[in-house]
Amino acid sequence: MSRRPAKPARGLDRDLADLPEGLRWREWMGRVEAAIFASSGPASRETLAALVGDACRLDDLLADIRAELGGRPYEIVAVAGGFQFRTRPRYAEALRALGEAKDAGPPAFTRLEMLALSGVAYQQPVTRAELSRLLGCEISRDILGRLSRAGVIAPGPRAPAPGAPVAWVTTPRFLEVFALASLSDLPDMDALDGALGQAADAAIEAALDDALGVHEAEDAAFDETEAEG
């Protein structure tokens, strides 16, 4: 992977040439970990590279930090083109029980919302009418509105169709929520091939659940949505 030259942080001794190699590496680890911890969003590779010397192998440094976090309930993950601290998935249920942790795992979307979100993720930009045809069921404005309010989709370009309907796209928040570095990290579409045309089929839902991490706890909400439909 090519690396963009780091923009030096103002007044910061990045190279730390006066330190022994081991201490220099530890200091770089501390800087990078602190920067990721303090960042309000994913910290970009360029941001982190500005804190360390040109001789620093950033991927190796991150690997050492991750190794030290191995026994902790949180980890550093590559999301949305950067790096971010995340609680490990197995603690999401416990954090949700507190009722205060906003980012404890993926939001509790219903299965129909997840189906619509998956359609947008794989087919974007895509209109509501196209989604409904693709998924074989009505995708209402309310469903897209809830996904939009959750910040995982947003209006994209107008489609070249009568009435110029809005086409929907995923957002950087979508990548953060599902811990994806980029859309290219989505599961292979071939694994879901043939599923997207039969929304009511349980096999489809299972495949999408596996792809995007939906949990059984959402079944009840899905049943309620279906009953309302």
Side-chain angles (χ1 to χ4, degrees):
M1 176 184 297
S2 62
R3 174 176 165 175
R4 185 182 302 175
K7 181 180 180 181
R10 183 181 301 176
L12 183 70
D13 179 5
R14 297 170 55 225
D15 294 322
L16 301 175
D18 57 329
L19 291 181
E21 183 176 354
L23 288 179
R24 183 185 311 129
W25 192 256
R26 295 299 310 183
E27 175 63 17
W28 284 342
M29 287 175 64
R31 290 180 179 184
V32 167
E33 185 174 347
I36 296 172
F37 178 82
S39 178
S40 59
S44 70
R45 177 176 292 272
E46 288 73 22
T47 295
L48 301 180
L51 301 175
V52 299
D54 291 337
C56 177
R57 302 176 304 280
L58 191 55
D59 288 330
D60 291 345
L61 195 79
L62 287 165
D64 283 356
I65 297 172
R66 284 170 169 144
E68 289 199 346
L69 296 176
R72 309 304 300 172
Y74 46 81
E75 60 186 337
I76 291 175
V77 296
V79 295
F83 300 91
Q84 193 173 47
F85 271 100
R86 289 290 182 88
T87 51
R88 296 186 189 276
R90 66 176 178 272
Y91 297 106
E93 183 178 354
L95 293 176
R96 283 198 180 110
L98 293 175
E100 298 176 353
K102 296 180 180 178
D103 297 322
F109 294 128
T110 67
R111 285 182 177 271
L112 200 53
E113 289 167 354
M114 280 302 303
L115 196 63
L117 179 56
S118 302
V120 174
Y122 280 100
Q123 300 297 324
Q124 60 186 301
V126 61
T127 68
R128 186 175 68 87
E130 290 170 338
L131 268 180
S132 296
R133 283 197 300 271
L134 176 70
L135 301 175
C137 62
E138 176 69 14
I139 300 299
S140 70
R141 290 183 174 84
D142 287 345
I143 290 175
L144 295 179
R146 285 195 290 272
L147 294 174
S148 180
R149 287 192 294 277
V152 292
I153 66 170
R158 293 277 180 176
V166 169
W168 293 88
V169 298
T170 55
T171 65
R173 176 63 179 156
F174 169 81
L175 299 178
E176 290 185 47
V177 166
F178 293 101
L180 300 171
S182 70
L183 291 175
S184 63
D185 290 337
L186 282 169
D188 190 345
M189 188 62 182
D190 289 342
L192 305 176
D193 208 15
L196 290 176
Q198 308 172 49
D201 190 284
I204 301 174
E205 295 162 4
L208 292 170
D209 288 354
D210 290 342
L212 292 177
V214 188
H215 304 293
E216 292 181 357
E218 296 157 13
D219 287 356
F222 173 67
D223 293 341
E224 291 175 4
T225 302
E226 288 296 278
E228 291 173 0

